[in-house]
Amino acid sequence: MEFWLDLNEEQRELREWVHGFAESVIRPAASEWDEREETPWPVLQEAAKIGLYGFEFLANTWSDISGLSLPIANEELFWGDGGIGMAISGTSLAVAAIFGSGTPDQLIEWVPQCFGDAADPKVAAFCSTEPEAGSDVASMRTRAVYHEATDEWVLSGQKAYATNGGIAAIHVVTASVDPSLGSRGQAAFIVPPGTAGLAGTKKLKKLGLRASHTADVFLDDVRIPGSCLLGGKEALDKRLARAREAQATPAAGRQRGGQAAMRTFELSRPAVGAQALGIARAAYEYALEYAKTRVQFGRPIIENQAVAFALADMRTEIDAARLLVWRAAWMGRNEKPFGAGEGSMSKLKAGEVAVAVTEKAVQILGGAGYLREHPVERMYRDAKIYTIFEGTSEIQRLVIARAISGVQIR
């Protein structure tokens, strides 16, 4: 499919639909749930009632062969509010893991349980990061041991900063099956509801995205059926055999393994970049309207070049970031190779633009921008995480540098 920037009717309707929900439901509730620092279950329920929270929504956006529907929806959700937006979209991380590694039967069994229903919405958690294994995925210490006699896997370890960790119905946990193989010796597992041995800490207190639940997760001899290994035991055994064979020829193994890992992570980054875009756009729009009405020295401050030029730069950077996000989303959906780290480019640019734009919005409002009376201070707090999670800005630059140079830069 050709890359085309003119949205079709369905995409425009999607944007207007999600924007309407963000404007009428999310924004009026944003300040309250940020202050409460709790999961906004009533908002999730409203989203579920209209079909905005559920697997069908994700499936419909993914079916768009242009790849643009999910970034469009994410931008509008997070335009409403970053914290509530993450509370709504956080479950999709676990669903993506199930979709990426699971069998069709596993999809049918587990994905509906991730969301629940409109009467009783649920959330899911993807547990990968560890206290000493964030960007360094190969250092993962959580272990998975198979007991053939009982056809069970036993998981032990600790996960950090898990969205919905501990409160989720379904936890998707990555663990090392063969530590000698590094990241190629890892697999993903479903931990069903109520499984003994899994416990989450109380909600972590965060700078931003406060309406989204984040916690550490502890796994103490968590026993799960063999069927909870995503992809199945036979597929895992074949993959481990290939990894061991590649280990015997390190140069080829590094090349093949690195390319596969890069593509896996690259595919998710445009959607995350779109979230950052939504926060940036919201801050820019608020600052623009404020500058038109705020009078100093007898005239609106928008008439001062310093303010007008700042707003011009903010809009330019947002639009530039969106183009990178849309390009990467289209490439990923249409299986175009990320030869220059285009997925990382999109997330890097969008995250850093969100931080810069929200900071400038606070500056334009002056002292008022520092008060919770205005939403830009919340947007400023929410934006910062986008240069940290889902790969820090430094990791994005590393991915891009390796892609464009062909050199294993460290």
Side-chain angles (χ1 to χ4, degrees), residues 370-383:
Y370 202 70
L371 303 177
R372 294 188 183 183
E373 177 183 346
H374 297 276
V376 291
E377 64 85 25
R378 184 178 70 247
M379 296 167 185
Y380 184 33
R381 289 187 283 105
D382 289 346

Side-chain angles (χ1 to χ4, degrees), residues 127-289:
C127 307
S128 180
T129 298
E130 298 184 359
E132 296 184 14
S135 299
D136 184 10
V137 178
S139 296
M140 186 178 293
R141 294 185 177 181
T142 299
R143 297 288 181 261
V145 178
Y146 182 62
H147 290 213
E148 189 170 359
T150 57
D151 187 26
E152 287 182 318
W153 288 92
V154 180
L155 309 181
S156 299
Q158 178 184 354
K159 295 297 182 179
Y161 315 132
T163 298
N164 297 327
I167 68 168
I170 300 295
H171 290 77
V172 179
V173 178
T174 56
S176 178
V177 177
D178 186 343
S180 69
L181 296 175
S183 60
R184 289 175 292 174
Q186 297 167 3
F189 302 84
I190 294 285
V191 180
T195 301
L198 184 148
T201 62
K202 68 178 183 179
K203 185 178 185 296
L204 299 175
K205 298 291 187 179
K206 306 192 299 288
L207 173 69
L209 301 186
R210 293 179 176 178
S212 172
H213 183 96
T214 305
D216 291 350
V217 172
F218 293 90
L219 302 121
D220 183 12
D221 288 336
V222 173
R223 292 181 174 271
I224 56 175
S227 60
C228 287
L229 165 64
L230 288 177
K233 185 71 163 54
E234 183 179 350
L236 173 64
D237 288 342
K238 290 180 180 178
R239 181 162 60 82
L240 293 178
R242 290 195 299 270
R244 293 182 185 112
E245 181 182 353
Q247 199 172 52
T249 53
R254 280 196 302 270
Q255 184 179 23
R256 288 195 298 269
Q259 289 172 345
M262 177 185 293
R263 179 157 184 80
T264 298
F265 287 114
E266 287 276 84
L267 287 171
S268 68
R269 284 170 175 157
V272 177
Q275 297 173 4
L277 272 177
I279 297 171
R281 198 185 98 218
Y284 155 74
E285 290 177 0
Y286 195 91
L288 176 62
E289 290 305 309

Side-chain angles (χ1 to χ4, degrees), residues 12-24:
R12 290 194 296 270
E13 289 178 352
L14 171 67
R15 183 174 60 187
E16 292 170 5
W17 177 53
V18 180
H19 183 85
F21 182 82
E23 186 173 38
S24 62

